Amino acid sequence: MGVDFSALRTLINRYCAGEENWVDSRTVYIGHKEPPPGADAFIQQRFPDNRVVSSKYTFWNFIPKNMFEQFRRVANFYFLIIFLVQLIIDTPTSPVTSGLPLFFVIIVTAIKQGYEDWLRHKADKAVNQCPVSVIQRGKKIKKESFRITVGDVVFVKEDETFACDLILLSSSRDDGTCFVTTASLDGESSHKTYYAVQDTKAFRTEEEVDSIHATIECEQPQPDLYKFVGRINIYMDNEAVARPLGSENVLLRGATLKNTEFIYAVAIYTGMETKMALNYQSKSQKRSAVEKSMNSYLVVYLCILISKALINTVLKYIWQADPNKDEPWYNERTEAQRQRHILIRAFTDFLAFMVLFNYIIPVSMYVTVEMQKFLGSYFIMWDDDMYDEELGEGAVVNTSDLNEELGQVEYVFTDKTGTLTENNMEFIECCVDGHVYVPDAICNGQVLSGAAAMDMIDTSPGPGGREREELFFRALCLCHTVQVKEEETVDGIKHGIHQGKSASFYISSSPDEVALVEGMKKLGFTYLRLKDGQMEILNREDEIERFELLEVLSFDSVRRRMSVIVRAASGDIFLFCKGADSSILPRVISGKVDEVKARVEHNAVEGLRTLCVAYRPLSPEQHQEVCRLLSGAKLALQDRDKRLSEAYELVEKDLILLGATAVEDRLQEQAADTIESLHKAGMKVWVLTGDKMETAAATCYASRLFRRNTQILELTTKRVEEQNLHDVLFDLSRTVLRHHGSMTRDNCSSLSNDCTDYGLIIDGATLSAVMRPPQEDLNSGSYKEIFLEICRNCSAVLCCRMAPLQKAQIVKMIKASKEHPITLAIGDGANDVSMILEAHVGIGIMGKEGRQAVRNSDYAIPKFKHLKKMLLVHGHYYYIRISELVQYFFYKNVCFIFPQFLYQFFCGFSQQPLYDTAYLTLYNISFTSLPILVYSLMEQHINMDILKKDPSLYKDVAKNSLLRWPTFIYWTVLGVYNAIVMFFGTYFLFDNTTFTSNGQRMTTNTQMMFGNWTFGTLVFTVLVFTVTFKLVLDTHYWTWINHFVIWGSLVFFVLFSLLWGGIIWPFLNYQRMYYVFMQMLSSGPAWLSIILLITASLLPDVVKKVIWRALWPTITERIQQVNAGSFHVLAFLHVSGHRFSACVRCSCLLRNTRVDIYSPKQAECFIDEEKESNVTPPRPRRSLETAPEQRRLVL
């Protein structure tokens, strides 16, 4: 019997190849072909299909899963218990009163969430059924995307998106390369180069590719986008040839093929195992801070309810301990009730009291909140200011449950590319030996209209400087990785750049490289192409110059520079190097360093991206030595990156400085203004990007995230390599805490340049080290806490080279910090989906990188600038409205039920309802619900123009300020006070014979008309009018809808009461309310008592508001006072030593401005929207007859 040693041989090979750390791997059989005899044993593995799922429910689990999530809410679970109690035992009220509102809420919520998930299913179906070309038996067939399996060979054409993670086998290009954009993965829309396997790159037909006999051994799926370890075993004549595979061979799902006609590749990871899917954050139910406050209040009121029921139960049995009071003639117990154990009777009575008082828990509040959120979301979608003409789309609300959370945001996490910027680079200028050249404005190859000839600033260089000038231009035409894309424009004829300039354009892995080459084109030197190892450029004399490309020293984030070695037609060899000034200038031995450095610093202050350019002539001997160093490093199997870095250090030295360049990354419209407004509103803005540190930092300066006086703190791989992480963190911590007591951005003027603040830059590798779980042998347990402390004291944070999952980890870390701040994440690509799902509020940008972010977000907006109005206006309004709604509902239910509690002391704790069943049912449904619903939709306590112009007003509602415990206690105490006034006021007035007899003695039969139902009806009438007038006093923004609903609700209550008690209804067995309401209103003192009790109930709240507004007004209240005037004046208020002014005509604000009395001609608007902080009104002549300075209104 033969023994199979293939498994042992595999382990030995892995160990000998240095792969002893491989714990888990997979074997992929290309084309599903078994290896030849004698090779590794064929092991069939099961892999998932290529189906991608972003939905939350399925057809089978929707009902149980949705019901579980809904009954996790305390209120829903409570009402379910009350409903069951009403069904089981004999209670004073019908089960319908609890069951109908509960099932309405459950059904409406389920329909809304089901519809939202159906939209996700629909989007997933469109992606999963996308056709893909697959090679089978030497032929190309079409498959639906979800049917692709691991091992399938896929054919992809230009501009198609990869359906799964692939290993590149061959391409249409001779060198086996292809160009890819990964915008939806890491946010970079630039072109990146990927390489085919050397032994398969020549196979370019279906038959040739199908003949490949090979297996791929690679690691199991993991979320790191920039890491891949594997190897391919190619069988030729039954001999296996092993080749290494790295991240440069892997094409990730979601990326797009560019500038390459076609490729062949094999699927290695499919479906939810692709790197992009592994970076998706799992969906979870998001709950707003308001909903959490509602649940907390609900628990308090539940405790109050239990206490009420317990007190009444105990008092009932104390009352019945007296035999004379145990069983009155009108409430005798049955024999079965007498035989029942006292504990069972007490528990039954306790449940009955719970049902009687359960209206203190406002079930209709949840119905109203759901309706308010759903209807209120349309105000965002209908907002014309958030409509983008270019896209033809407006804002979209995917989840209306979080509307009020928009008014509570403390941290904003934003992507850079496509969110803050348009990713359009514009070449601004270059400096050669101190001479500055400013060509025509160029953006991605498009010359702006009206462009004239080259504009020269400073004096032109002399004859000796012209040679260096041209050398600088040649350096920029050669030192890059730009590719030329030629288009067929006329009759299918391709035109080169020197033949038809409009027919070709540049592409590169770095967008600023394209801008530099385009800039040189405007300055007279045009890069043509790279052909057969020759780089061709067209000089000013329209002569083609050719340079042989010898070596490319690629850019990396540690060196922060790149170089090329070329040989000119004359035989001279040059090394051209460009990079950051910090990495070039220390290596320079000659050149006009001071002049160039000064210009670089000037451009950096302006927020431009700068690069220095230098060169080094090489002799043939030096070139041979360089080739030897680089070849040895490239062939190394161990520590290849380290040896390459050492070789680059030896080559890139003794440079001669030529000059510098300045490129601008064009921001989105009003992006800087939006970030500035967010800062003024008290929010901290973090930029999380997969881009390079230099690129991201320049964008942060341009967008005003970093200012000129911002001290930048770096926590990067380069610094950690110089010092250990522990020392770097403690150094940064000491730096920021040293100035902890000094002013920060939040409390200094936005125009002050004397205010010092800190900005932190961290990269993905260092973040991984900071987030790594603590180990016992290392003092790393507090790294995360130290990092958080540093971030808290920084006005802005930039996180670069972030993987998508790292973005989510950052958001999760801030959410879990001790302050538990409300977070918002905004992005436009699939790489932003994880952080959008993780944040409390996720917003997608309708950008150019697909709609995955939009589909997975809570809200979607066309441009970043629309975030300003969404937060400062809509968020502010939503929070104000729903806060009033929640507090008002608890208040009016306390007013409603507390008299019922007091009434039990006067009815022997017999569970007799104070109100009629119709009143119990309709109080929250009809009589009082519509006015607060309309209020919560229409209220505008401040004009929206003021909210946009003064972002600091956002701080007034920050940190859930309107739903804090002191405010909640005030509303509850106010409700209890009103209930006491209503009950005992009615009680004492009711006991007065003048009231009952209307000034005359009444017979016993007539006296019976004024019994317990009349008493309860009078209390209920005062109650309805009081809570409605309370809402009237709180309303600042009146429309015809408010008037119609508020006064209409009161009219409806009166008409209903008249009809309910004025007609004998045939479907009722007994009619206890017959003629009660009309008899009550026939008494003049009843009318007077209603007016007196309503006034007495509302008076304390009115007095409190007047005193508070006079002595301790908030900024919001000051503005309301100013806007209350109907005339156009300037109102000046001096509060706490700080002067404050507002212009009613334009709703603008002045702060900390010295002002005095103005004449009518001088009372004009001095501020516009853009310059409200820059303009100070002229100081008028001071009058001797000036009014007191504490508060002055001057016409």
Side-chain angles (χ1 to χ4, degrees):
M1 182 177 66
V3 180
D4 186 5
F5 293 97
S6 60
L8 178 62
R9 183 167 62 249
T10 300
L11 292 175
I12 294 174
N13 288 340
R14 287 183 178 176
Y15 184 83
C16 294
E19 298 169 359
E20 64 275 12
N21 293 326
W22 280 33
V23 178
D24 198 8
S25 64
R26 64 170 52 185
T27 301
V28 178
Y29 302 96
I30 298 179
H32 307 285
K33 297 178 181 178
E34 297 183 17
D40 291 345
F42 177 74
I43 304 173
Q44 185 66 46
Q45 300 184 38
R46 296 180 62 86
F47 302 113
D49 61 18
N50 200 39
R51 195 186 314 268
V52 171
V53 179
S54 64
S55 55
K56 186 177 181 180
Y57 305 107
T58 66
F59 177 81
W60 303 107
N61 71 9
F62 173 73
I63 292 178
K65 191 173 182 179
N66 187 265
M67 292 299 102
F68 172 76
E69 290 181 347
Q70 292 207 55
F71 284 111
R72 284 171 56 194
R73 289 183 173 180
V74 177
N76 290 346
F77 183 72
Y78 162 76
F79 290 122
L80 178 65
I81 297 299
I82 291 295
F83 175 68
L84 295 176
V85 168
Q86 288 179 297
L87 289 176
I88 294 172
I89 68 171
D90 183 23
T91 58
T93 57
S94 169
V96 176
T97 57
S98 295
L100 275 181
L102 172 64
F103 293 129
F104 178 77
V105 172
I106 296 297
I107 292 171
V108 169
T109 305
I111 291 174
K112 187 185 73 169
Q113 293 180 351
Y115 174 72
E116 292 173 351
D117 203 64
W118 176 77
L119 293 178
R120 297 190 186 100
H121 273 281
K122 189 176 179 181
D124 289 342
K125 185 177 180 181
V127 172
N128 291 328
Q129 293 186 349
C130 180
V132 179
S133 299
V134 178
I135 306 302
Q136 285 188 357
R137 297 184 179 87
K139 294 182 180 180
K140 192 188 305 176
I141 65 170
K142 288 287 185 179
K143 263 189 181 182
E144 292 175 316
S145 176
F146 75 93
R147 299 185 184 277
I148 295 176
T149 59
V150 172
D152 282 349
V153 177
V154 178
F155 173 81
V156 184
K157 294 187 294 185
E158 185 175 6
D159 294 326
E160 289 185 347
T161 300
F162 304 132
C164 56
D165 290 351
L166 307 166
I167 291 292
L168 180 59
L169 297 176
S170 64
S171 78
S172 60
R173 302 177 66 89
D174 295 336
D175 55 1
T177 61
C178 71
F179 299 98
V180 170
T181 58
T182 58
S184 63
L185 300 174
D186 55 17
E188 296 186 29
S189 59
S190 53
H191 291 63
K192 298 180 179 178
T193 305
Y194 289 84
Y195 300 89
V197 178
Q198 286 296 316
D199 299 84
T200 63
K201 69 178 183 180
F203 298 162
R204 295 177 187 161
T205 65
E206 288 84 351
E207 293 78 8
E208 291 174 342
V209 171
D210 190 57
S211 66
I212 296 176
H213 203 179
T215 59
I216 294 175
E217 295 175 276
C218 60
E219 60 189 356
Q220 291 289 4
Q222 49 96 9
D224 192 338
L225 297 178
Y226 308 107
K227 181 182 177 184
F228 177 80
V229 177
R231 69 179 179 188
I232 182 170
N233 298 309
I234 304 172
Y235 300 102
M236 299 179 179
D237 300 328
N238 293 334
E239 292 292 330
V241 178
R243 302 292 184 194
L245 297 175
S247 58
E248 69 276 7
N249 308 113
V250 181
L251 307 174
L252 301 181
R253 179 186 184 121
T256 305
L257 184 65
K258 293 289 184 181
N259 203 30
T260 307
E261 187 178 346
F262 63 84
I263 64 163
Y264 291 98
V266 59
I268 53 167
Y269 304 132
T270 53
M272 301 308 293
E273 288 187 344
T274 59
K275 288 181 179 288
M276 194 67 255
L278 292 176
N279 275 276
Y280 282 153
Q281 190 74 7
S282 59
K283 291 182 181 295
S284 60
Q285 186 75 19
K286 294 184 178 181
R287 303 191 184 278
S288 68
V290 170
E291 185 174 342
K292 294 174 183 176
S293 297
M294 287 167 55
N295 290 336
S296 300
Y297 298 163
L298 193 66
V299 172
V300 173
Y301 272 65
L302 188 60
C303 294
I304 294 174
L305 171 62
I306 294 173
S307 302
K308 282 183 177 182
L310 191 62
I311 291 171
N312 276 266
T313 304
V314 172
L315 292 178
K316 176 177 181 177
Y317 282 88
I318 293 176
W319 168 273
Q320 293 179 352
D322 186 348
N324 296 325
K325 300 176 181 178
D326 185 19
E327 289 186 64
W329 61 270
Y330 55 83
N331 195 22
E332 291 186 8
R333 284 178 292 184
T334 63
E335 189 62 30
Q337 289 175 327
R338 292 191 184 97
Q339 298 297 326
R340 192 180 302 169
H341 193 276
I342 187 172
L343 292 179
I344 296 177
R345 282 189 285 127
F347 181 69
T348 304
D349 286 330
F350 172 77
L351 292 180
F353 278 118
M354 286 280 290
V355 172
L356 183 64
F357 299 142
N358 97 90
Y359 294 95
I360 195 174
I361 308 294
V363 61
S364 60
M365 178 181 69
Y366 287 87
V367 181
T368 309
V369 166
E370 289 291 333
M371 293 177 64
Q372 190 269 348
K373 290 182 176 182
F374 176 73
L375 297 175
S377 63
Y378 282 94
F379 289 109
I380 290 180
M381 294 188 283
W382 291 339
D383 193 336
D384 290 338
D385 292 340
M386 301 176 71
Y387 182 83
D388 186 72
E389 296 289 346
E390 181 182 349
L391 292 175
E393 295 184 81
V396 175
V397 178
N398 295 325
T399 305
S400 60
D401 293 338
L402 304 171
N403 292 344
E404 65 276 7
E405 206 81 330
L406 295 170
Q408 296 293 295
V409 175
E410 298 173 63
Y411 280 80
V412 175
F413 299 93
T414 174
D415 182 36
K416 182 189 75 71
T417 308
T419 304
L420 290 179
T421 70
E422 296 178 353
N423 204 33
N424 289 333
M425 302 296 178
E426 182 180 354
F427 181 80
I428 302 300
E429 67 172 47
C430 61
C431 172
V432 183
D433 287 345
H435 300 283
V436 180
Y437 300 79
V438 181
D440 301 323
I442 303 170
C443 181
N444 286 358
Q446 301 298 318
V447 181
L448 298 185
S449 60
M454 181 192 348
D455 179 20
M456 296 287 297
I457 297 181
D458 297 339
T459 58
S460 180
R466 185 172 181 83
E467 181 180 348
R468 291 174 60 81
E469 170 195 304
E470 293 188 350
L471 187 60
F472 174 86
F473 295 156
R474 289 188 179 94
L476 286 177
C477 283
L478 298 171
C479 187
H480 56 73
T481 57
V482 169
Q483 300 290 326
V484 179
K485 170 68 174 179
E486 296 183 349
E487 294 183 328
E488 297 180 358
T489 56
V490 181
D491 297 329
I493 302 175
K494 292 186 178 181
H495 295 273
I497 290 182
H498 60 287
Q499 294 172 337
K501 294 187 178 181
S502 64
S504 301
F505 58 91
Y506 298 118
I507 58 174
S508 173
S509 59
S510 174
D512 52 353
E513 279 194 333
V514 174
L516 291 175
V517 175
E518 290 280 9
M520 294 305 100
K521 180 179 175 183
K522 289 300 298 178
L523 293 173
F525 281 78
T526 303
Y527 173 63
L528 297 180
R529 66 178 63 83
L530 171 64
K531 184 177 181 181
D532 299 330
Q534 298 284 328
M535 301 183 76
E536 299 179 358
I537 62 176
L538 189 71
N539 62 24
R540 288 173 177 169
E541 287 75 28
D542 285 338
E543 298 174 348
I544 296 180
E545 300 179 5
R546 290 181 174 85
F547 294 82
E548 182 183 357
L549 180 61
L550 302 176
E551 295 286 350
V552 177
L553 283 60
S554 302
F555 177 90
D556 64 69
S557 58
V558 177
R559 286 166 50 239
R560 300 205 294 181
R561 61 183 181 271
M562 75 155 293
S563 302
V564 294
I565 300 177
V566 297
R567 179 183 286 117
S570 60
D572 297 329
I573 301 175
F574 296 96
L575 179 143
F576 291 115
C577 182
K578 75 172 189 288
D581 58 312
S582 59
S583 65
I584 296 292
L585 295 180
R587 302 179 170 276
V588 169
I589 58 174
S590 66
K592 295 187 178 182
V593 177
D594 294 336
E595 292 87 341
V596 174
K597 186 176 181 180
R599 194 65 191 176
V600 167
E601 291 175 351
H602 173 271
N603 289 331
V605 168
E606 298 297 324
L608 302 178
R609 304 167 54 148
T610 59
L611 290 175
C612 289
V613 181
Y615 80 104
R616 174 190 175 189
L618 296 176
S619 64
E621 293 76 15
Q622 289 175 324
H623 176 240
Q624 290 179 0
E625 178 64 19
V626 167
C627 290
R628 186 186 62 81
L629 284 173
L630 296 178
S631 298
K634 289 178 180 180
L635 292 175
L637 296 177
Q638 300 292 332
D639 300 325
R640 179 184 297 176
D641 292 340
K642 181 180 178 181
R643 293 188 60 178
L644 273 175
S645 178
E646 293 172 352
Y648 292 161
E649 290 291 322
L650 294 175
V651 173
E652 296 169 327
K653 63 179 183 179
D654 302 333
L655 303 177
I656 302 172
L657 185 63
L658 288 172
T661 63
V663 174
E664 180 182 20
D665 187 1
R666 181 175 295 176
L667 289 176
Q668 281 199 18
E669 181 186 3
Q670 299 180 24
D673 175 68
T674 301
I675 287 182
E676 192 71 19
S677 297
L678 298 181
H679 275 303
K680 289 180 181 178
M683 297 176 231
K684 291 193 173 182
V685 182
W686 289 33
V687 174
L688 311 181
T689 177
D691 214 340
K692 299 187 291 291
M693 186 180 77
E694 296 79 14
T695 305
T699 302
C700 289
Y701 276 108
S703 62
R704 301 181 205 162
L705 187 73
F706 294 156
R707 303 184 302 178
R708 285 187 293 176
N709 57 336
T710 300
Q711 182 176 339
I712 301 300
L713 309 175
E714 288 192 13
L715 186 56
T716 58
T717 304
K718 182 178 180 181
R719 183 168 181 184
V720 171
E721 288 177 351
E722 297 170 355
Q723 292 178 270
N724 63 60
L725 180 60
H726 182 274
D727 294 340
V728 173
L729 283 172
F730 277 90
D731 285 348
L732 295 179
S733 179
R734 283 194 297 267
T735 301
V736 297
L737 294 179
R738 190 182 306 125
H739 298 88
H740 181 70
S742 62
M743 294 201 313
T744 61
R745 178 175 296 196
D746 291 342
N747 54 24
C748 69
S749 170
S750 62
L751 299 176
S752 172
N753 292 326
D754 299 327
C755 176
T756 302
D757 56 4
Y758 294 98
L760 177 68
I761 299 178
I762 183 172
D763 58 22
T766 310
L767 178 68
S768 297
V770 171
M771 301 286 287
R772 189 176 298 128
Q775 300 178 14
E776 295 181 2
D777 57 335
L778 295 176
N779 186 22
S780 60
S782 60
Y783 283 177
K784 187 184 296 186
E785 287 74 18
I786 297 172
F787 174 67
L788 278 172
E789 190 63 33
I790 295 170
C791 293
R792 288 191 195 101
N793 291 279
C794 292
S795 60
V797 178
L798 166 62
C799 303
C800 50
R801 284 299 179 194
M802 291 284 117
L805 206 55
Q806 284 182 311
K807 294 184 179 184
Q809 290 172 347
I810 285 276
V811 176
K812 186 175 183 179
M813 178 183 68
I814 295 299
K815 281 174 59 180
S817 61
K818 60 183 181 182
E819 298 90 357
H820 298 290
I822 303 300
T823 59
L824 179 147
I826 180 170
D828 68 323
N831 60 314
D832 304 314
V833 169
S834 294
M835 72 170 181
I836 285 173
L837 293 174
E838 180 62 48
H840 292 94
V841 182
I843 297 183
I845 298 285
M846 300 171 184
K848 304 173 183 177
E849 301 178 11
R851 290 302 173 97
Q852 289 155 333
V854 171
R855 194 169 70 244
N856 288 276
S857 63
D858 304 308
Y859 303 88
I861 55 179
K863 296 289 176 59
F864 182 76
K865 66 178 181 180
H866 298 132
L867 182 65
K868 178 179 178 180
K869 187 173 185 182
M870 176 169 276
L871 297 184
L872 302 187
V873 177
H874 290 291
H876 197 119
Y877 282 158
Y878 282 138
Y879 178 73
I880 290 287
R881 293 164 179 169
I882 202 166
S883 298
E884 178 85 9
L885 185 152
V886 171
Q887 300 282 25
Y888 179 80
F889 253 98
F890 281 108
Y891 155 78
K892 72 185 183 71
N893 278 37
V894 169
C895 295
F896 181 43
I897 287 302
F898 201 72
Q900 178 75 67
F901 170 74
L902 296 174
Y903 185 61
Q904 296 305 304
F905 289 85
F906 296 87
C907 68
F909 308 100
S910 61
Q911 301 158 11
Q912 167 67 32
L914 175 61
Y915 313 116
D916 181 66
T917 302
Y919 287 159
L920 284 172
T921 305
L922 297 178
Y923 174 74
N924 279 318
I925 296 177
S926 299
F927 298 150
T928 60
S929 59
L930 277 180
I932 185 60
L933 175 61
V934 172
Y935 173 95
S936 64
L937 293 173
M938 309 294 292
E939 174 64 3
Q940 295 183 21
H941 62 302
I942 298 179
N943 186 278
M944 66 174 62
D945 292 330
I946 297 179
L947 292 177
K948 285 193 293 186
K949 293 177 182 179
D950 190 1
S952 62
L953 292 172
Y954 191 86
K955 298 178 185 177
D956 280 1
V957 298
K959 299 184 183 297
N960 206 16
S961 60
L962 300 183
L963 288 175
R964 291 176 181 168
W965 287 107
T967 309
F968 167 73
I969 292 171
Y970 169 76
W971 279 86
T972 303
V973 171
L974 181 63
V976 171
Y977 165 78
N978 289 352
I980 292 174
V981 170
M982 295 170 198
F983 182 84
F984 287 106
T986 304
Y987 176 78
F988 290 120
L989 291 170
F990 194 86
D991 195 46
N992 192 317
T993 55
T994 303
F995 167 73
T996 58
S997 64
N998 201 10
Q1000 298 178 359
R1001 291 281 180 181
M1002 302 184 66
T1003 64
T1004 303
N1005 291 336
T1006 308
Q1007 186 76 18
M1008 292 287 290
M1009 298 291 291
F1010 289 86
N1012 64 312
W1013 294 117
T1014 306
F1015 178 78
T1017 302
L1018 183 58
V1019 173
F1020 190 81
T1021 302
V1022 176
L1023 165 68
V1024 171
F1025 277 83
T1026 298
V1027 297
T1028 304
F1029 286 156
K1030 164 64 177 168
L1031 188 63
V1032 169
L1033 293 174
D1034 288 347
T1035 301
H1036 298 94
Y1037 185 74
W1038 285 91
T1039 66
W1040 68 267
I1041 301 177
N1042 296 78
H1043 286 288
F1044 177 79
V1045 170
I1046 287 177
W1047 312 124
S1049 295
L1050 295 177
V1051 170
F1052 173 76
F1053 162 70
V1054 174
L1055 293 177
F1056 174 84
S1057 299
L1058 290 172
L1059 292 174
W1060 183 245
I1063 299 175
I1064 298 177
W1065 300 98
F1067 56 84
L1068 295 177
N1069 295 328
Y1070 58 91
Q1071 199 161 342
R1072 54 197 178 194
M1073 289 297 292
Y1074 180 70
Y1075 215 65
V1076 170
F1077 191 74
M1078 287 175 285
Q1079 180 69 23
M1080 182 190 75
L1081 293 184
S1082 66
S1083 171
W1087 287 86
L1088 180 61
S1089 64
I1090 290 173
I1091 296 172
L1092 289 176
L1093 292 178
I1094 292 174
T1095 305
S1097 298
L1098 295 176
L1099 187 61
D1101 186 50
V1102 174
V1103 172
K1104 178 256 180 187
K1105 285 186 176 181
V1106 171
I1107 294 175
W1108 252 250
R1109 282 175 177 263
L1111 300 180
W1112 304 285
T1114 63
I1115 296 176
T1116 300
E1117 290 169 345
R1118 298 171 197 160
I1119 295 173
Q1120 289 171 347
Q1121 291 173 10
V1122 172
N1123 285 346
S1126 60
F1127 45 86
H1128 297 310
V1129 298
L1130 282 177
F1132 306 106
L1133 300 173
H1134 299 250
V1135 183
S1136 303
H1138 295 285
R1139 299 194 175 192
F1140 172 94
S1141 66
C1143 174
V1144 180
R1145 184 188 310 166
C1146 70
S1147 306
C1148 58
L1149 301 177
L1150 283 169
R1151 288 172 179 265
N1152 299 322
T1153 305
R1154 295 187 59 84
V1155 293
D1156 276 283
I1157 300 301
Y1158 282 78
S1159 65
K1161 292 183 179 180
Q1162 290 172 314
E1164 57 185 358
C1165 177
F1166 294 102
I1167 307 174
D1168 58 29
E1169 183 174 356
E1170 288 74 27
K1171 301 180 179 179
E1172 63 177 288
S1173 301
N1174 294 334
V1175 182
T1176 302
R1179 185 181 179 93
R1181 183 179 302 173
R1182 188 171 182 84
S1183 171
L1184 295 176
E1185 299 179 359
T1186 301
E1189 289 193 2
Q1190 291 303 313
R1191 179 165 297 152
R1192 300 176 291 190
L1193 291 175
V1194 185
L1195 289 172

